[in-house]
Amino acid sequence: MKLIGMLDSPYVRRVAISLRLLGLDFEHQAISVFSTYDAFAAINPVVKAPTLVTDEGVVLMDSGLILEHAERMAGRTLSPADLAAHARSQRIIGLALAACEKSVQIVYEQLLRPEEKRHQPWLDRVRGQLVQAYHLLEQEVSLARPWCFGDQPLQADITSAVAWRFTREMVPEALDPQALPALNRLSQRAEASEPFVEFPFH
């Protein structure tokens, strides 16, 4: 099984860390959708990261769909079993993914679009959405003891920590970290854990 994509993508990184926590063997190939476009296209013509190539050669994409299949392969889940806890977990993951999406939009706007073509009202709106997502996420992860759903990290923790690291690295001016202490604590705890160390942001 092969995971294709760079670890500076929060979507690739959440999959890599999750696969490791699920105990699944895989090979990570750090191929970029930008600098090595043709090499990526040879594996997945859609050129979407992350891409997972199964042992049978099936090419999967979209981190959520990959993780759904991975949990079936592993025979276990990274979500809490209780229905109410599962709903809260899905809320946390949704907020973290929204933060990822808005951070990526800002990065693309700043790095790929010529300055004279940037639409500031749209960029301001995206920044506002990013701030709201993280303030709501802060409220949720403030309840972590030490993780959001007990003694072991689950997908809510993984995605929240990965999202927060990505935003801190790529859009540092967007937020005041001191105003989000629970996310800082979760990030520090996660980044010190073995799967996060094995698949670092870079």
Side-chain angles (χ1 to χ4, degrees), residues 23-39:
L24 296 171
D25 292 328
F26 68 99
E27 173 190 347
H28 174 231
Q29 295 187 354
I31 302 175
S32 172
V33 299
F34 295 108
S35 60
T36 49
Y37 184 92
D38 291 342

Side-chain angles (χ1 to χ4, degrees), residues 65-90:
L65 298 178
I66 290 171
L67 290 173
E68 181 181 347
H69 184 67
E71 289 187 343
R72 289 202 175 199
M73 285 191 290
R76 63 191 186 92
T77 181
L78 291 172
S79 296
D82 175 75
L83 188 61
H86 182 268
R88 182 169 166 257
S89 174
Q90 295 295 85

Side-chain angles (χ1 to χ4, degrees), residues 17-127:
I17 291 166
S18 298
L19 292 177
R20 184 61 76 234
L21 283 171
L22 288 168
L24 296 171
D25 292 328
F26 68 99
E27 173 190 347
H28 174 231
Q29 295 187 354
I31 302 175
S32 172
V33 299
F34 295 108
S35 60
T36 49
Y37 184 92
D38 291 342
F40 207 120
I43 299 167
N44 179 1
V46 179
V47 193
K48 181 175 173 62
T51 285
L52 185 79
V53 183
T54 70
D55 290 338
E56 296 75 29
V58 179
V59 177
L60 305 178
M61 64 192 99
D62 184 277
S63 64
L65 298 178
I66 290 171
L67 290 173
E68 181 181 347
H69 184 67
E71 289 187 343
R72 289 202 175 199
M73 285 191 290
R76 63 191 186 92
T77 181
L78 291 172
S79 296
D82 175 75
L83 188 61
H86 182 268
R88 182 169 166 257
S89 174
Q90 295 295 85
R91 170 174 168 76
I92 292 171
I93 294 168
L95 288 168
L97 289 175
C100 283
E101 176 189 327
K102 299 307 168 185
S103 297
V104 168
Q105 288 177 341
I106 293 170
V107 170
Y108 281 7
E109 187 77 8
Q110 292 176 339
L111 297 183
L112 299 180
R113 192 184 300 277
E115 186 172 358
E116 68 274 9
K117 294 185 178 180
R118 293 176 193 164
H119 186 54
Q120 192 60 46
W122 180 83
L123 192 55
D124 291 342
R125 176 178 174 175
V126 172
R127 288 182 186 277

Side-chain angles (χ1 to χ4, degrees), residues 98-175:
C100 283
E101 176 189 327
K102 299 307 168 185
S103 297
V104 168
Q105 288 177 341
I106 293 170
V107 170
Y108 281 7
E109 187 77 8
Q110 292 176 339
L111 297 183
L112 299 180
R113 192 184 300 277
E115 186 172 358
E116 68 274 9
K117 294 185 178 180
R118 293 176 193 164
H119 186 54
Q120 192 60 46
W122 180 83
L123 192 55
D124 291 342
R125 176 178 174 175
V126 172
R127 288 182 186 277
Q129 291 173 291
L130 175 65
V131 169
Q132 287 299 322
Y134 272 126
H135 279 287
L136 291 170
L137 192 58
E138 171 75 10
Q139 295 173 21
E140 296 290 346
V141 303
S142 67
L143 303 175
R145 301 290 187 275
W147 302 101
C148 290
F149 296 95
D151 295 333
Q152 299 296 323
L154 296 178
Q155 191 56 239
D157 306 285
I158 297 166
T159 305
S160 296
V162 166
W164 181 238
R165 178 66 185 276
F166 178 79
T167 302
R168 290 289 308 277
E169 294 284 349
M170 301 301 295
V171 200
E173 74 284 357
L175 295 161

